[in-house]
Amino acid sequence: MTRKTMLEAARRLPRSPIYGIGVCRTGDHGAVDYEIGWDDLERDVVWARQQLLAAGVTGDDHVLITAGNHESPWLSPVVRALRQIGATYTPAETYSWDSARFLSVLDRMPITVIFGLCGETLGSVQAQNPDLAALLEKVRLMWARPEAHIELAAANVNSMLVAFLGPALGLARPEAPGVLLVDGAEWAIRESSNGLLVSSTEARTARIVDMPTGISGRVTTDGGTLLIEL
């Protein structure tokens, strides 16, 4: 039995009616569970792949991605997209106690892209390596979460925003590193006095209406893409 025959056998097995159940925080209103269909996942992978390719990620890149297991609803499409592109990726956790692995991978591997860098990881890394520009000089593209994005800008290190807006994923591109792009075919986002509110479109399995994100921002559109400035 080979890996190929095992995968072929697995594909013949009946699969669950949904890909999974996501759980996201809704501002100060606790957590909400929502279903993610297989078709939802496939479309999310297509969109993530388009964004990564547009930003310049290629099959020659080695990506250091920081993600927690509970972040699969947002980041599993990104990982699957990296596989389709042919890029190599190495995971690390999003906690300070895993910063040693982050640094080890960065030191020993030819990392050209970092995805999902968070404030906790960055703070621990910076405590050991104050010169962030020197530490990250070989990284060509970097997506950082809002708190890390701010700290990197203060250290004169270029990065692009990545953020979770309720159940929606927002990614920036190099030409506008502080503007999040969100797939308007899947999500509707509107401004309110209490922050951004997210709803699912008819395309999604889950029915979500005006879920609070706890994040304030400005929303504009460019064709079928939502542009979010935090």
Side-chain angles (χ1 to χ4, degrees):
M1 179 174 287
T2 65
R3 174 179 168 79
K4 180 180 179 181
T5 59
M6 290 174 63
L7 289 173
E8 290 172 348
R11 291 191 187 101
R12 291 193 293 270
L13 295 173
R15 67 180 185 179
S16 64
I18 59 173
Y19 164 68
I21 296 176
V23 181
C24 69
R25 297 287 175 183
T26 59
D28 296 328
H29 300 276
V32 171
D33 299 345
Y34 61 96
E35 294 182 342
I36 303 169
W38 288 102
D39 290 343
D40 299 335
L41 174 66
E42 291 176 6
R43 294 192 305 273
D44 290 345
V45 172
V46 170
W47 185 84
R49 183 173 182 270
Q50 291 171 344
Q51 306 314 310
L52 295 174
L53 288 173
V57 177
T58 74
D60 294 329
D61 282 311
H62 191 148
V63 183
L64 174 53
I65 180 168
T66 54
N69 286 335
H70 65 286
E71 295 176 336
S72 176
W74 298 272
L75 297 183
S76 182
V78 174
V79 170
R80 290 170 183 249
L82 289 172
R83 291 174 184 165
Q84 291 181 2
I85 291 170
T88 301
Y89 65 92
T90 300
E93 290 281 0
T94 55
Y95 308 107
S96 59
W97 48 258
D98 206 35
S99 61
R101 173 162 47 163
F102 181 95
L103 287 169
S104 177
V105 171
L106 189 62
D107 179 56
R108 291 171 170 78
M109 302 292 183
I111 299 299
T112 52
V113 179
I114 290 177
F115 192 97
L117 182 61
C118 67
E120 184 172 341
T121 298
L122 182 61
S124 183
V125 166
Q126 191 172 21
Q128 302 172 63
N129 300 267
D131 190 348
L132 290 176
L135 177 69
L136 300 168
E137 63 179 351
K138 66 180 180 181
V139 178
R140 184 169 53 84
L141 297 168
M142 178 159 45
W143 278 273
R145 305 178 198 222
E147 66 278 14
H149 181 70
I150 293 172
E151 292 299 321
L152 288 167
N156 294 315
V157 177
N158 294 328
S159 69
M160 297 169 286
L161 266 177
V162 55
F164 303 157
L165 304 169
L169 176 65
L171 295 177
R173 289 185 185 173
E175 61 269 23
V179 179
L180 294 167
L181 308 183
V182 176
D183 189 353
E186 305 293 321
W187 309 104
I189 302 178
R190 68 182 183 90
E191 300 170 30
S192 79
S193 58
N194 295 317
L196 299 175
L197 303 176
V198 179
S199 299
S200 58
T201 67
E202 292 297 320
R204 305 294 296 188
T205 300
R207 288 292 162 260
I208 298 171
V209 179
D210 284 348
M211 178 184 290
T213 64
I215 299 173
S216 296
R218 178 172 174 266
V219 183
T220 56
T221 60
D222 180 9
T225 300
L226 303 177
L227 308 179
I228 314 294
E229 295 182 61
L230 303 184

